[in-house]
Amino acid sequence: MARLEMCPLDGLPWFVPKSSLDILVKEETVRNILVGGRLVPLDRVEETAQEILQHARNLFAVLVDQDKIRYISGFLEEGIGDKDLPFIRQMNKGAQKLMLETSHHRHIKTLENWDQGSLRILETEQYRMLAPVLHFRGHHEFTEFQTLPYVSLDAENQRGCTAEGGYAEVFQARIHPDHHDFWERPTDEDKGPLVAIKRLYSSHKSSFITERRFHEALGATNCHSHLINLLCTYRKGEKYHLVFPWADGTLREYWRRSPAPSFSSQTLLWSFKQMVGIASGLSLIHEFSVPADSPDSTLFGRHGDIKADNILWFSTFQGCDDPDGILQIADMGLASIHRRGSRSNVNPATVIVPSTYSPPDAFRGRRISRAWDVWSLGCMYLEFVTWILCGYEAIEEFSSLRGSEDEDPEFEFSSDCFYTADFNGIRLSVFEWVDFLRNHDHSSAAIHHLLDLIMEEMIVLEPQRRSRSQRILQRLSEIYNHVQDNPEYLLQPVSDGQPLLE
Protein backbone atom coordinates (compact mmCIF):
# COMPACT_ATOMS: atom_id res chain seq x y z
CA MET A 1 0.00 0.00 0.00
CA ALA A 2 1.31 3.50 -0.82
CA ARG A 3 2.33 5.52 2.16
CA LEU A 4 1.34 9.04 3.27
CA GLU A 5 3.83 11.34 4.98
CA MET A 6 2.96 13.96 7.56
CA CYS A 7 4.15 17.50 6.82
CA PRO A 8 4.86 19.26 10.15
CA LEU A 9 4.98 22.79 8.68
CA ASP A 10 2.36 24.91 6.94
CA GLY A 11 0.29 23.43 4.11
CA LEU A 12 -1.76 20.23 4.16
CA PRO A 13 -0.94 17.89 7.05
CA TRP A 14 -0.27 14.97 4.66
CA PHE A 15 1.33 14.42 1.26
CA VAL A 16 2.06 11.44 -0.96
CA PRO A 17 5.80 11.00 -1.59
CA LYS A 18 7.06 10.55 -5.14
CA SER A 19 7.94 6.87 -4.62
CA SER A 20 4.45 6.16 -3.27
CA LEU A 21 2.89 8.02 -6.18
CA ASP A 22 4.87 5.83 -8.56
CA ILE A 23 3.35 2.79 -6.86
CA LEU A 24 -0.18 4.25 -7.04
CA VAL A 25 -0.08 5.33 -10.68
CA LYS A 26 1.14 2.18 -12.41
CA GLU A 27 0.14 1.13 -15.91
CA GLU A 28 -2.04 -1.75 -14.71
CA THR A 29 -3.83 0.47 -12.16
CA VAL A 30 -4.50 3.23 -14.70
CA ARG A 31 -5.83 0.72 -17.25
CA ASN A 32 -8.10 -0.96 -14.68
CA ILE A 33 -9.59 2.37 -13.55
CA LEU A 34 -10.22 3.47 -17.15
CA VAL A 35 -11.94 0.17 -17.96
CA GLY A 36 -13.78 -0.27 -14.67
CA GLY A 37 -15.18 3.24 -14.75
CA ARG A 38 -15.97 3.07 -18.47
CA LEU A 39 -14.15 6.37 -18.81
CA VAL A 40 -13.09 5.86 -22.44
CA PRO A 41 -14.06 3.46 -25.23
CA LEU A 42 -12.24 0.12 -24.99
CA ASP A 43 -10.32 0.76 -28.20
CA ARG A 44 -8.84 3.92 -26.64
CA VAL A 45 -7.88 2.50 -23.23
CA GLU A 46 -4.28 1.73 -24.16
CA GLU A 47 -3.73 5.09 -25.88
CA THR A 48 -5.27 7.03 -22.97
CA ALA A 49 -3.33 5.04 -20.36
CA GLN A 50 -0.04 5.83 -22.09
CA GLU A 51 -0.95 9.53 -22.33
CA ILE A 52 -1.68 9.61 -18.60
CA LEU A 53 1.54 7.79 -17.70
CA GLN A 54 3.63 10.13 -19.84
CA HIS A 55 1.95 13.49 -19.29
CA ALA A 56 -0.69 13.40 -16.53
CA ARG A 57 0.34 11.07 -13.69
CA ASN A 58 -0.12 13.72 -11.00
CA LEU A 59 -3.38 14.97 -12.50
CA PHE A 60 -4.68 11.39 -12.56
CA ALA A 61 -3.76 10.94 -8.89
CA VAL A 62 -5.42 14.25 -7.93
CA LEU A 63 -8.67 13.30 -9.66
CA VAL A 64 -8.70 9.81 -8.09
CA ASP A 65 -8.06 11.37 -4.68
CA GLN A 66 -10.96 13.82 -5.21
CA ASP A 67 -13.28 11.09 -6.60
CA LYS A 68 -13.42 13.09 -9.85
CA ILE A 69 -11.63 10.64 -12.16
CA ARG A 70 -14.60 10.71 -14.55
CA TYR A 71 -13.35 14.10 -15.73
CA ILE A 72 -9.94 12.82 -16.88
CA SER A 73 -10.95 12.64 -20.55
CA GLY A 74 -12.10 16.24 -20.53
CA PHE A 75 -8.75 17.46 -19.20
CA LEU A 76 -6.82 15.36 -21.71
CA GLU A 77 -8.94 16.61 -24.61
CA GLU A 78 -8.06 20.17 -23.58
CA GLY A 79 -4.39 19.21 -23.59
CA ILE A 80 -4.16 19.76 -19.83
CA GLY A 81 -1.71 17.63 -17.87
CA ASP A 82 0.97 17.77 -15.15
CA LYS A 83 2.67 20.76 -16.79
CA ASP A 84 -0.43 22.83 -15.96
CA LEU A 85 -0.53 22.01 -12.24
CA PRO A 86 -1.27 23.36 -9.74
CA PHE A 87 -4.61 24.83 -10.70
CA ILE A 88 -4.77 28.34 -9.29
CA ARG A 89 -7.47 30.83 -8.48
CA GLN A 90 -8.45 33.04 -11.42
CA MET A 91 -7.54 36.65 -10.59
CA ASN A 92 -10.76 38.30 -11.82
CA LYS A 93 -11.81 41.13 -9.53
CA GLY A 94 -15.29 41.26 -11.03
CA ALA A 95 -15.96 37.54 -10.63
CA GLN A 96 -18.74 36.61 -8.24
CA LYS A 97 -17.64 33.00 -7.82
CA LEU A 98 -14.45 30.97 -7.57
CA MET A 99 -12.88 29.88 -10.85
CA LEU A 100 -9.67 27.93 -11.29
CA GLU A 101 -7.20 28.16 -14.17
CA THR A 102 -3.93 26.42 -15.05
CA SER A 103 -0.63 27.54 -13.56
CA HIS A 104 -0.02 29.32 -16.89
CA HIS A 105 -3.32 31.27 -16.53
CA ARG A 106 -5.19 29.25 -19.13
CA HIS A 107 -8.96 28.78 -18.88
CA ILE A 108 -10.14 25.23 -17.99
CA LYS A 109 -13.41 24.38 -19.75
CA THR A 110 -13.74 21.04 -17.92
CA LEU A 111 -14.12 22.85 -14.58
CA GLU A 112 -16.99 25.11 -15.72
CA ASN A 113 -19.68 22.77 -14.38
CA TRP A 114 -18.00 21.96 -11.08
CA ASP A 115 -19.80 23.27 -7.99
CA GLN A 116 -18.10 25.83 -5.74
CA GLY A 117 -17.47 23.37 -2.92
CA SER A 118 -15.66 20.95 -5.22
CA LEU A 119 -13.54 23.76 -6.65
CA ARG A 120 -12.53 24.92 -3.17
CA ILE A 121 -11.52 21.39 -2.21
CA LEU A 122 -9.57 20.96 -5.45
CA GLU A 123 -7.80 24.29 -4.97
CA THR A 124 -6.29 23.23 -1.65
CA GLU A 125 -6.23 19.42 -1.58
CA GLN A 126 -4.60 18.93 -5.00
CA TYR A 127 -1.30 19.66 -3.23
CA ARG A 128 -1.46 16.35 -1.40
CA MET A 129 -0.28 14.82 -4.70
CA LEU A 130 1.98 17.69 -5.74
CA ALA A 131 4.81 17.76 -3.20
CA PRO A 132 7.70 19.28 -5.21
CA VAL A 133 11.25 18.07 -5.72
CA LEU A 134 13.64 20.75 -4.41
CA HIS A 135 16.55 21.24 -6.81
CA PHE A 136 20.08 22.09 -5.72
CA ARG A 137 20.72 25.85 -6.00
CA GLY A 138 17.36 26.24 -7.72
CA HIS A 139 14.65 28.80 -6.98
CA HIS A 140 11.00 27.70 -6.74
CA GLU A 141 7.77 29.72 -6.77
CA PHE A 142 4.94 28.18 -4.73
CA THR A 143 1.38 29.25 -3.95
CA GLU A 144 0.36 29.79 -0.36
CA PHE A 145 -1.44 26.41 -0.37
CA GLN A 146 1.61 24.39 -1.46
CA THR A 147 2.49 21.45 0.79
CA LEU A 148 6.24 21.08 0.99
CA PRO A 149 8.04 17.72 1.24
CA TYR A 150 8.94 18.00 4.92
CA VAL A 151 8.45 15.00 7.18
CA SER A 152 8.10 14.66 10.93
CA LEU A 153 11.20 15.07 13.08
CA ASP A 154 12.45 12.64 15.67
CA ALA A 155 12.09 13.98 19.20
CA GLU A 156 15.87 14.09 19.67
CA ASN A 157 16.33 16.24 16.56
CA GLN A 158 13.58 18.75 17.19
CA ARG A 159 14.85 22.21 18.13
CA GLY A 160 12.01 24.40 16.98
CA CYS A 161 12.60 27.87 15.55
CA THR A 162 14.89 30.72 16.51
CA ALA A 163 14.80 34.39 15.54
CA GLU A 164 17.76 35.97 13.78
CA GLY A 165 18.13 39.56 14.85
CA GLY A 166 14.81 40.74 13.52
CA TYR A 167 15.72 39.77 9.95
CA ALA A 168 14.42 36.19 9.68
CA GLU A 169 13.32 33.11 11.57
CA VAL A 170 14.81 29.65 11.14
CA PHE A 171 12.93 26.35 11.22
CA GLN A 172 14.39 22.90 11.39
CA ALA A 173 12.94 20.48 8.86
CA ARG A 174 13.62 17.09 7.34
CA ILE A 175 13.13 16.68 3.57
CA HIS A 176 11.72 13.40 2.30
CA PRO A 177 14.52 11.58 0.45
CA ASP A 178 12.40 11.40 -2.75
CA HIS A 179 12.06 15.16 -2.92
CA HIS A 180 15.52 16.68 -3.31
CA ASP A 181 18.61 16.33 -5.47
CA PHE A 182 21.09 18.13 -3.18
CA TRP A 183 23.38 15.10 -3.18
CA GLU A 184 23.22 11.55 -4.48
CA ARG A 185 22.41 9.85 -1.20
CA PRO A 186 21.22 11.53 2.00
CA THR A 187 23.07 10.71 5.20
CA ASP A 188 20.05 8.77 6.44
CA GLU A 189 18.42 7.19 3.38
CA ASP A 190 15.17 6.35 5.13
CA LYS A 191 14.59 9.68 6.86
CA GLY A 192 16.04 12.29 4.52
CA PRO A 193 18.38 15.19 5.34
CA LEU A 194 17.91 17.73 8.10
CA VAL A 195 17.83 21.30 6.79
CA ALA A 196 17.44 24.81 8.14
CA ILE A 197 14.62 26.80 6.53
CA LYS A 198 15.31 30.51 6.82
CA ARG A 199 12.12 32.52 6.31
CA LEU A 200 12.64 36.25 5.85
CA TYR A 201 10.33 38.54 7.78
CA SER A 202 10.30 41.04 4.94
CA SER A 203 8.28 40.30 1.80
CA HIS A 204 10.41 42.75 -0.19
CA LYS A 205 12.29 41.00 -2.97
CA SER A 206 15.42 43.15 -2.63
CA SER A 207 16.56 41.66 0.72
CA PHE A 208 16.11 38.13 -0.59
CA ILE A 209 17.84 38.84 -3.90
CA THR A 210 20.87 40.37 -2.13
CA GLU A 211 21.45 37.30 0.03
CA ARG A 212 20.73 34.80 -2.76
CA ARG A 213 23.07 36.57 -5.20
CA PHE A 214 25.80 36.60 -2.57
CA HIS A 215 25.56 32.82 -2.22
CA GLU A 216 25.30 32.36 -5.98
CA ALA A 217 28.47 34.38 -6.53
CA LEU A 218 30.35 32.37 -3.92
CA GLY A 219 28.94 29.10 -5.26
CA ALA A 220 30.26 29.93 -8.74
CA THR A 221 33.77 29.60 -7.29
CA ASN A 222 32.93 26.08 -6.00
CA CYS A 223 31.96 25.28 -2.43
CA HIS A 224 34.32 26.29 0.38
CA SER A 225 34.36 23.87 3.31
CA HIS A 226 34.14 26.73 5.84
CA LEU A 227 31.28 28.63 4.16
CA ILE A 228 27.66 27.53 4.55
CA ASN A 229 26.25 26.11 1.33
CA LEU A 230 22.89 27.40 0.06
CA LEU A 231 20.88 24.36 -1.03
CA CYS A 232 17.92 26.12 -2.68
CA THR A 233 15.45 28.98 -2.28
CA TYR A 234 11.72 29.39 -2.72
CA ARG A 235 8.89 31.86 -2.33
CA LYS A 236 5.71 30.51 -0.75
CA GLY A 237 2.88 32.98 -1.01
CA GLU A 238 4.54 36.30 -0.23
CA LYS A 239 7.38 34.97 1.95
CA TYR A 240 10.91 34.21 0.78
CA HIS A 241 12.81 31.19 2.11
CA LEU A 242 16.43 30.01 1.92
CA VAL A 243 17.35 26.37 2.62
CA PHE A 244 20.67 25.39 4.21
CA PRO A 245 22.14 22.26 5.81
CA TRP A 246 21.12 21.94 9.46
CA ALA A 247 24.04 22.46 11.84
CA ASP A 248 24.49 20.91 15.27
CA GLY A 249 24.87 24.36 16.81
CA THR A 250 26.70 27.67 16.62
CA LEU A 251 30.27 28.26 17.72
CA ARG A 252 28.92 29.92 20.87
CA GLU A 253 26.78 26.88 21.61
CA TYR A 254 29.79 24.65 21.00
CA TRP A 255 31.77 26.64 23.57
CA ARG A 256 28.85 26.41 25.99
CA ARG A 257 28.56 22.64 25.52
CA SER A 258 32.28 22.25 26.29
CA PRO A 259 32.65 24.83 29.08
CA ALA A 260 36.04 23.59 30.30
CA PRO A 261 38.04 22.20 27.36
CA SER A 262 41.16 20.20 28.05
CA PHE A 263 44.36 22.07 27.23
CA SER A 264 45.63 19.39 24.88
CA SER A 265 47.19 19.17 21.45
CA GLN A 266 43.85 17.90 20.06
CA THR A 267 41.93 20.93 21.37
CA LEU A 268 44.54 23.43 20.23
CA LEU A 269 45.18 21.87 16.83
CA TRP A 270 41.45 21.74 16.10
CA SER A 271 40.98 25.35 17.25
CA PHE A 272 43.87 26.68 15.15
CA LYS A 273 42.71 24.65 12.16
CA GLN A 274 39.19 26.10 12.42
CA MET A 275 40.50 29.65 12.81
CA VAL A 276 42.55 29.18 9.65
CA GLY A 277 39.49 27.78 7.88
CA ILE A 278 37.27 30.69 8.93
CA ALA A 279 39.93 33.18 7.83
CA SER A 280 40.16 31.34 4.51
CA GLY A 281 36.39 31.51 4.05
CA LEU A 282 36.33 35.21 4.88
CA SER A 283 39.25 35.80 2.51
CA LEU A 284 37.19 34.23 -0.27
CA ILE A 285 34.20 36.43 0.59
CA HIS A 286 36.43 39.50 0.45
CA GLU A 287 37.83 38.71 -2.98
CA PHE A 288 36.69 35.97 -5.30
CA SER A 289 36.83 35.24 -8.99
CA VAL A 290 33.69 34.92 -11.10
CA PRO A 291 33.09 33.17 -14.45
CA ALA A 292 35.07 34.48 -17.40
CA ASP A 293 31.98 35.81 -19.20
CA SER A 294 31.23 38.19 -16.30
CA PRO A 295 31.91 41.91 -16.89
CA ASP A 296 34.23 41.85 -13.85
CA SER A 297 36.54 38.89 -13.23
CA THR A 298 36.81 39.69 -9.51
CA LEU A 299 34.16 40.67 -6.95
CA PHE A 300 34.69 42.02 -3.45
CA GLY A 301 32.30 41.02 -0.68
CA ARG A 302 31.75 42.01 2.93
CA HIS A 303 29.98 39.77 5.42
CA GLY A 304 28.96 42.52 7.82
CA ASP A 305 28.11 40.43 10.89
CA ILE A 306 30.93 38.08 11.85
CA LYS A 307 30.33 36.74 15.36
CA ALA A 308 30.30 33.41 17.20
CA ASP A 309 26.51 33.16 16.78
CA ASN A 310 26.92 33.29 12.99
CA ILE A 311 29.57 30.57 12.86
CA LEU A 312 27.93 27.15 12.60
CA TRP A 313 29.33 23.90 13.99
CA PHE A 314 28.75 20.60 12.21
CA SER A 315 29.75 17.49 14.18
CA THR A 316 29.97 15.60 10.88
CA PHE A 317 30.15 16.95 7.37
CA GLN A 318 30.74 15.49 3.93
CA GLY A 319 34.49 15.54 3.21
CA CYS A 320 35.41 16.32 6.84
CA ASP A 321 37.11 13.54 8.80
CA ASP A 322 37.92 15.60 11.90
CA PRO A 323 36.34 13.96 15.00
CA ASP A 324 35.61 17.39 16.49
CA GLY A 325 33.69 18.56 13.42
CA ILE A 326 33.98 21.70 11.34
CA LEU A 327 33.01 25.40 11.60
CA GLN A 328 31.32 27.35 8.79
CA ILE A 329 30.57 31.03 8.28
CA ALA A 330 26.82 31.56 7.92
CA ASP A 331 24.07 34.21 7.96
CA MET A 332 24.83 36.40 4.94
CA GLY A 333 21.76 38.57 5.60
CA LEU A 334 23.87 41.72 6.01
CA ALA A 335 26.43 40.74 3.37
CA SER A 336 27.12 42.83 0.31
CA ILE A 337 29.04 42.45 -2.95
CA HIS A 338 30.88 45.22 -4.75
CA ARG A 339 32.81 45.57 -7.97
CA ARG A 340 36.39 46.78 -8.00
CA GLY A 341 35.57 50.49 -8.09
CA SER A 342 33.19 50.45 -5.12
CA ARG A 343 34.53 47.76 -2.82
CA SER A 344 35.48 50.19 -0.02
CA ASN A 345 33.06 52.98 -0.74
CA VAL A 346 29.99 52.35 1.41
CA ASN A 347 28.40 55.36 3.10
CA PRO A 348 28.66 54.83 6.89
CA ALA A 349 25.26 56.45 7.39
CA THR A 350 23.60 53.56 5.54
CA VAL A 351 25.21 50.74 7.55
CA ILE A 352 23.39 48.71 10.22
CA VAL A 353 25.55 48.23 13.32
CA PRO A 354 24.47 44.74 14.34
CA SER A 355 26.47 43.40 17.25
CA THR A 356 29.05 43.42 20.02
CA TYR A 357 31.70 42.55 17.46
CA SER A 358 31.10 45.57 15.19
CA PRO A 359 33.87 48.21 14.93
CA PRO A 360 33.24 51.91 15.62
CA ASP A 361 33.83 52.81 11.94
CA ALA A 362 30.29 53.96 11.14
CA PHE A 363 30.13 56.18 14.25
CA ARG A 364 33.47 57.75 13.35
CA GLY A 365 32.37 58.63 9.83
CA ARG A 366 34.77 56.19 8.21
CA ARG A 367 33.92 54.66 4.86
CA ILE A 368 32.81 51.08 5.38
CA SER A 369 35.08 48.46 3.88
CA ARG A 370 36.17 44.84 4.28
CA ALA A 371 38.24 46.00 7.28
CA TRP A 372 34.92 45.94 9.20
CA ASP A 373 34.97 42.13 9.07
CA VAL A 374 38.62 41.96 10.14
CA TRP A 375 37.83 43.81 13.41
CA SER A 376 34.85 41.50 14.05
CA LEU A 377 36.93 38.41 13.35
CA GLY A 378 39.60 39.64 15.77
CA CYS A 379 37.01 40.07 18.52
CA MET A 380 35.71 36.56 17.92
CA TYR A 381 39.22 35.09 17.88
CA LEU A 382 39.94 36.79 21.21
CA GLU A 383 36.94 34.98 22.66
CA PHE A 384 38.19 31.76 21.04
CA VAL A 385 41.53 32.12 22.85
CA THR A 386 39.64 32.85 26.07
CA TRP A 387 37.70 29.60 25.69
CA ILE A 388 40.88 27.60 24.97
CA LEU A 389 42.68 28.90 28.08
CA CYS A 390 39.89 29.58 30.57
CA GLY A 391 36.63 28.01 29.38
CA TYR A 392 33.22 29.43 28.55
CA GLU A 393 32.49 31.21 31.84
CA ALA A 394 35.52 33.42 31.21
CA ILE A 395 33.96 34.59 27.92
CA GLU A 396 30.96 35.80 29.93
CA GLU A 397 33.26 37.41 32.49
CA PHE A 398 35.16 39.22 29.71
CA SER A 399 31.85 40.54 28.36
CA SER A 400 30.85 41.82 31.80
CA LEU A 401 34.19 43.58 32.24
CA ARG A 402 33.76 45.42 28.95
CA GLY A 403 30.21 46.38 29.84
CA SER A 404 31.24 47.71 33.24
CA GLU A 405 33.26 50.46 31.55
CA ASP A 406 30.15 52.22 30.27
CA GLU A 407 29.58 55.39 32.24
CA ASP A 408 27.24 57.05 29.75
CA PRO A 409 23.65 55.84 30.44
CA GLU A 410 22.62 57.19 27.04
CA PHE A 411 25.03 54.88 25.18
CA GLU A 412 22.71 53.41 22.59
CA PHE A 413 24.38 50.23 21.36
CA SER A 414 25.81 47.03 22.86
CA SER A 415 27.39 47.82 26.22
CA ASP A 416 29.93 45.04 25.85
CA CYS A 417 31.45 46.21 22.55
CA PHE A 418 35.24 46.42 22.26
CA TYR A 419 35.54 50.18 21.70
CA THR A 420 35.01 53.08 24.09
CA ALA A 421 31.73 54.93 24.45
CA ASP A 422 33.15 57.95 22.60
CA PHE A 423 34.16 55.68 19.67
CA ASN A 424 37.74 56.96 19.79
CA GLY A 425 39.57 54.12 21.46
CA ILE A 426 39.67 50.48 22.46
CA ARG A 427 38.39 49.70 25.94
CA LEU A 428 40.99 49.41 28.69
CA SER A 429 39.38 46.14 29.78
CA VAL A 430 40.29 44.61 26.40
CA PHE A 431 44.00 45.36 26.88
CA GLU A 432 43.84 44.15 30.48
CA TRP A 433 42.17 40.93 29.38
CA VAL A 434 44.83 40.28 26.75
CA ASP A 435 47.51 40.78 29.42
CA PHE A 436 45.63 38.30 31.61
CA LEU A 437 45.62 35.73 28.79
CA ARG A 438 49.32 36.29 28.07
CA ASN A 439 50.16 35.51 31.69
CA HIS A 440 47.90 32.47 31.94
CA ASP A 441 49.63 29.30 33.14
CA HIS A 442 48.98 27.58 29.79
CA SER A 443 49.77 30.49 27.48
CA SER A 444 52.22 29.10 24.92
CA ALA A 445 54.29 30.78 22.24
CA ALA A 446 51.60 29.93 19.66
CA ILE A 447 48.95 31.61 21.84
CA HIS A 448 51.21 34.69 22.25
CA HIS A 449 51.68 34.98 18.50
CA LEU A 450 47.93 34.65 17.96
CA LEU A 451 47.25 37.41 20.52
CA ASP A 452 49.85 39.61 18.81
CA LEU A 453 48.09 39.10 15.48
CA ILE A 454 44.70 39.94 16.97
CA MET A 455 45.78 43.12 18.76
CA GLU A 456 48.30 44.45 16.23
CA GLU A 457 46.50 43.73 12.98
CA MET A 458 42.80 43.12 13.68
CA ILE A 459 41.38 44.98 16.69
CA VAL A 460 42.87 48.27 15.48
CA LEU A 461 40.93 51.55 15.70
CA GLU A 462 41.70 52.95 12.25
CA PRO A 463 40.29 50.63 9.55
CA GLN A 464 43.08 51.41 7.09
CA ARG A 465 45.63 50.09 9.61
CA ARG A 466 43.93 46.71 9.92
CA SER A 467 45.46 43.94 7.85
CA ARG A 468 43.55 42.48 4.92
CA SER A 469 41.92 39.10 5.45
CA GLN A 470 44.42 37.52 3.04
CA ARG A 471 47.25 38.69 5.31
CA ILE A 472 45.42 37.35 8.39
CA LEU A 473 45.03 33.99 6.65
CA GLN A 474 48.73 33.92 5.78
CA ARG A 475 49.81 34.69 9.36
CA LEU A 476 47.40 32.15 10.87
CA SER A 477 48.54 29.51 8.39
CA GLU A 478 52.15 30.10 9.41
CA ILE A 479 51.25 29.61 13.09
CA TYR A 480 49.17 26.50 12.30
CA ASN A 481 51.91 24.96 10.16
CA HIS A 482 54.39 25.57 12.97
CA VAL A 483 52.21 24.05 15.71
CA GLN A 484 51.72 20.86 13.70
CA ASP A 485 55.47 20.19 13.66
CA ASN A 486 56.43 21.66 17.04
CA PRO A 487 54.53 20.46 20.16
CA GLU A 488 56.68 22.72 22.36
CA TYR A 489 55.58 25.80 20.39
CA LEU A 490 51.96 24.68 20.76
CA LEU A 491 51.86 23.64 24.41
CA GLN A 492 54.85 24.87 26.44
CA PRO A 493 53.89 27.89 28.58
CA VAL A 494 55.88 31.11 28.27
CA SER A 495 55.60 34.22 30.42
CA ASP A 496 54.79 37.60 28.87
CA GLY A 497 58.35 38.81 29.35
CA GLN A 498 59.98 35.60 28.11
CA PRO A 499 61.29 35.53 24.51
CA LEU A 500 58.90 33.66 22.24
CA LEU A 501 59.96 30.52 20.45
CA GLU A 502 60.70 31.06 16.79
Side-chain angles (χ1 to χ4, degrees):
M1 181 177 178
R3 147 180 200 196
L4 291 174
E5 289 285 355
M6 173 175 276
C7 177
L9 301 180
D10 46 1
L12 290 173
W14 300 94
F15 71 91
V16 178
K18 188 172 178 293
S19 56
S20 295
L21 201 59
D22 291 340
I23 294 172
L24 285 170
V25 189
K26 293 190 299 187
E27 184 173 352
E28 182 182 359
T29 304
V30 172
R31 191 184 297 112
N32 288 342
I33 290 176
L34 292 176
V35 173
R38 299 180 179 179
L39 301 179
V40 295
L42 289 176
D43 60 354
R44 290 190 54 215
V45 168
E46 187 62 31
E47 175 189 351
T48 304
Q50 292 305 314
E51 185 177 2
I52 290 170
L53 292 170
Q54 293 175 27
H55 304 294
R57 297 173 66 93
N58 291 345
L59 176 59
F60 182 86
V62 168
L63 294 177
V64 170
D65 184 52
Q66 298 296 309
D67 196 22
K68 299 286 187 182
I69 192 59
R70 61 188 179 276
Y71 292 97
I72 185 65
S73 294
F75 285 109
L76 295 179
E77 287 171 6
E78 291 190 66
I80 293 174
D82 291 348
K83 68 182 187 306
D84 302 296
L85 296 173
F87 297 146
I88 59 175
R89 187 174 295 224
Q90 194 175 63
M91 301 305 293
N92 187 344
K93 295 181 180 179
Q96 298 298 312
K97 61 180 183 178
L98 170 65
M99 290 296 294
L100 298 181
E101 59 187 8
T102 71
S103 58
H104 306 294
H105 305 289
R106 176 184 163 196
H107 177 71
I108 307 173
K109 185 175 178 61
T110 302
L111 293 179
E112 288 180 354
N113 295 323
W114 284 36
D115 62 78
Q116 292 290 286
S118 295
L119 288 173
R120 290 192 188 93
I121 293 172
L122 176 62
E123 181 185 24
T124 56
E125 295 193 7
Q126 62 181 317
Y127 293 100
R128 189 177 3 249
M129 302 294 175
L130 303 180
V133 174
L134 302 178
H135 297 296
F136 181 55
R137 292 185 180 168
H139 177 71
H140 308 265
E141 292 282 333
F142 299 132
T143 72
E144 60 184 313
F145 299 114
Q146 179 69 59
T147 296
L148 293 164
Y150 303 138
V151 297
S152 297
L153 297 167
D154 298 332
E156 63 268 24
N157 285 322
Q158 204 159 8
R159 285 179 56 190
C161 103
T162 56
E164 284 194 354
Y167 172 68
E169 56 187 346
V170 175
F171 295 91
Q172 185 188 39
R174 189 186 293 280
I175 301 178
H176 191 283
D178 291 350
H179 289 266
H180 76 90
D181 60 7
F182 301 154
W183 41 78
E184 283 190 20
R185 296 288 180 189
T187 304
D188 187 335
E189 179 65 24
D190 293 327
K191 297 179 180 178
L194 284 171
V195 294
I197 312 296
K198 181 176 180 178
R199 179 162 62 197
L200 307 189
Y201 290 136
S202 172
S203 297
H204 295 297
K205 190 175 183 178
S206 58
S207 299
F208 163 73
I209 289 296
T210 297
E211 185 166 357
R212 175 171 172 82
R213 283 181 177 169
F214 196 91
H215 283 285
E216 284 179 335
L218 289 175
T221 67
N222 295 320
C223 298
H224 190 289
S225 60
H226 290 274
L227 294 177
I228 192 69
N229 193 15
L230 178 65
L231 299 176
C232 73
T233 61
Y234 61 88
R235 183 175 69 163
K236 187 174 188 291
E238 297 301 317
K239 291 294 185 180
Y240 288 98
H241 302 71
L242 301 98
V243 182
F244 300 95
W246 181 263
D248 296 284
T250 66
L251 175 56
R252 185 168 302 282
E253 289 169 340
Y254 179 82
W255 289 337
R256 192 179 291 121
R257 289 179 189 178
S258 304
S262 62
F263 190 81
S264 64
S265 59
Q266 180 177 337
T267 298
L268 269 72
L269 285 172
W270 180 83
S271 298
F272 275 107
K273 180 180 180 180
Q274 298 309 307
M275 282 188 261
V276 169
I278 292 168
S280 176
L282 184 62
S283 179
L284 178 61
I285 289 174
H286 283 183
E287 186 169 341
F288 53 93
S289 300
V290 293
D293 58 354
S294 174
D296 290 283
S297 60
T298 303
L299 293 177
F300 302 89
R302 182 175 64 85
H303 184 281
D305 198 14
I306 294 289
K307 57 183 178 181
D309 300 288
N310 287 339
I311 305 296
L312 297 181
W313 171 65
F314 292 85
S315 60
T316 60
F317 200 80
Q318 188 174 11
C320 172
D321 56 3
D322 197 311
D324 293 313
I326 190 171
L327 300 177
Q328 294 188 346
I329 300 174
D331 195 5
M332 311 296 185
L334 296 179
S336 58
I337 302 176
H338 305 282
R339 308 231 175 246
R340 185 176 298 276
S342 62
R343 65 185 184 270
S344 298
N345 196 30
V346 180
N347 188 336
T350 67
V351 173
I352 300 172
V353 181
S355 76
T356 295
Y357 299 89
S358 299
D361 303 358
F363 301 117
R364 303 181 72 237
R366 302 298 191 265
R367 306 302 291 184
I368 305 306
S369 68
R370 293 168 292 170
W372 179 290
D373 288 336
V374 173
W375 169 288
S376 301
L377 189 63
C379 296
M380 192 185 78
Y381 282 172
L382 192 51
E383 288 192 337
F384 216 140
V385 176
T386 299
W387 174 78
I388 292 170
L389 293 175
C390 310
Y392 182 73
E393 285 189 6
I395 294 177
E396 298 288 348
E397 180 185 352
F398 181 29
S399 174
S400 297
L401 289 173
R402 296 194 308 274
S404 66
E405 285 192 46
D406 272 342
E407 297 179 357
D408 184 357
E410 300 300 319
F411 187 53
E412 188 174 352
F413 297 100
S414 300
S415 61
D416 63 344
C417 55
F418 285 70
Y419 51 82
T420 57
D422 63 3
F423 316 124
N424 288 321
I426 297 169
R427 291 181 187 266
L428 178 62
S429 57
V430 174
F431 292 107
E432 291 175 341
W433 190 260
V434 172
D435 287 341
F436 164 71
L437 295 177
R438 287 183 184 278
N439 288 289
H440 191 277
D441 289 344
H442 288 150
S443 190
S444 64
I447 295 291
H448 278 243
H449 282 154
L450 177 55
L451 290 172
D452 288 342
L453 176 63
I454 292 169
M455 298 307 297
E456 294 173 8
E457 301 190 39
M458 303 179 77
I459 305 180
V460 177
L461 189 64
E462 293 297 340
Q464 66 271 22
R465 292 185 55 209
R466 296 172 207 150
S467 290
R468 296 172 61 187
S469 56
Q470 290 80 6
R471 158 76 175 173
I472 302 301
L473 172 59
Q474 177 187 344
R475 289 287 310 279
L476 277 172
S477 297
E478 290 170 357
I479 296 173
Y480 179 59
N481 290 336
H482 198 177
V483 299
Q484 291 183 87
D485 301 327
N486 191 334
E488 188 179 65
Y489 175 68
L490 177 66
L491 297 170
Q492 181 175 309
V494 295
S495 66
D496 193 32
Q498 184 176 337
L500 299 180
L501 298 170
E502 295 294 344

